[in-house]
Structure formats: C-alpha cells, structure tokens
Amino acid sequence: MTSQELIDLIYIIVFCMGGIAFAVGPFILVYFLQPRSTRNTVGKTLQVVECGMPPIGDAWIKFSAVYYLYALMFVAFAVDILFLMPVALVYNSPGPVGDLQAFLEILIFVGILSLVIVYAWKKGVFQWQRKTYSDQ
C-alpha cells in the first residue's frame, strides 16, 4: 500500500467517524441534558404532556388523505432539488453533451415533476377544508 493510498484510507475513516458522530452525537447530548424528573413523573398520571399542556382527546384519530398528498408532493420536490443541484453545478462545465440537449433534459425533468402540482390542483389538495369536531 503506497503512502497516498494510506492517506486516502485515513481520510475515508475520518469522514465515516465524523458522519457517525453527527448521527449519534445528538442522542448522546440529549441523554445528558434531559431533565431527570419532570412534573409528568412526580406524583402525576405518567401521561405524556407536550408543551406543558395536558392532552385533549385520543391519540388514535384518523387523518385525512390530504396530509399524505402533501407528503408525496414534498418528496417529489425534494427529489427535484436533489437532482437539480448537481446538474446545475455541472451545467457550465464543457462535456460531450451539448448545452441545448442538457437544457432540454432539465426542462423535461422539471416539466414532469410539475405535473405533480397540476394533479394535486385537480384533486383539490390546495383547498384545505377546516374540520370541526361535529364533522368527525
């Protein structure tokens, strides 16, 4: 193994250790910073209290399908950004693909993903109906 390969291997190991530290570090930090006894556990019902307010109602309620359509739209546009960022960085570099062809490919990709908005609009996702307790 040459010295350059050893240096590259050390870089990879340090990078992986840094990734693991960023992934596990917050859990360890929260474990040491969390309060040990809260008003929730001191002579109370051991019921989960969020934001200092006692919960109202049951946690097992049905959610509307609109929430899931919002999630799908978010995923579609997250994929869009994950694709467009590297493409935008490479767009100006000279290569075997012509500029017009690369632009058309990006335009087709964004056009297909923009159909998500058209589909959601036709399905009425953007018309948020406020639900009252009597509707449940």
Side-chain angles (χ1 to χ4, degrees), residues 11-52:
Y11 281 140
I12 292 171
I13 291 171
V14 169
F15 183 77
C16 290
M17 289 174 53
I20 291 171
F22 272 106
V24 176
F27 292 106
I28 295 171
L29 186 67
V30 165
Y31 176 77
F32 288 117
L33 293 179
Q34 72 181 357
R36 297 293 179 228
S37 66
T38 63
R39 71 182 186 100
N40 187 23
T41 58
V42 179
K44 298 289 182 179
T45 62
L46 296 177
Q47 188 178 30
V48 176
V49 177
E50 185 176 330
C51 300

Side-chain angles (χ1 to χ4, degrees), residues 3-135:
S3 63
Q4 183 62 37
E5 290 174 346
L6 184 62
I7 291 172
D8 290 342
L9 186 62
I10 290 172
Y11 281 140
I12 292 171
I13 291 171
V14 169
F15 183 77
C16 290
M17 289 174 53
I20 291 171
F22 272 106
V24 176
F27 292 106
I28 295 171
L29 186 67
V30 165
Y31 176 77
F32 288 117
L33 293 179
Q34 72 181 357
R36 297 293 179 228
S37 66
T38 63
R39 71 182 186 100
N40 187 23
T41 58
V42 179
K44 298 289 182 179
T45 62
L46 296 177
Q47 188 178 30
V48 176
V49 177
E50 185 176 330
C51 300
M53 297 180 64
I56 299 171
D58 192 16
W60 296 99
I61 61 173
K62 294 180 182 178
F63 289 102
S64 175
V66 175
Y67 294 113
Y68 301 111
L69 289 175
Y70 268 61
L72 287 174
M73 287 176 43
F74 172 77
V75 168
F77 287 105
V79 169
D80 187 15
I81 295 301
L82 286 174
F83 174 75
L84 287 180
M85 282 303 293
V87 169
L89 292 174
V90 178
Y91 185 67
N92 285 333
S93 64
V97 179
D99 290 338
L100 182 61
Q101 181 182 355
F103 178 72
L104 288 176
E105 288 174 358
I106 292 172
L107 194 64
I108 290 171
F109 180 76
V110 171
I112 290 172
L113 279 179
S114 64
L115 290 176
V116 172
I117 292 179
V118 173
Y119 175 77
W121 198 317
K122 293 285 185 185
K123 287 291 184 180
V125 173
F126 298 122
Q127 297 173 354
W128 196 273
Q129 300 291 330
R130 187 165 186 95
K131 197 172 193 181
T132 61
Y133 287 109
S134 63
D135 293 341

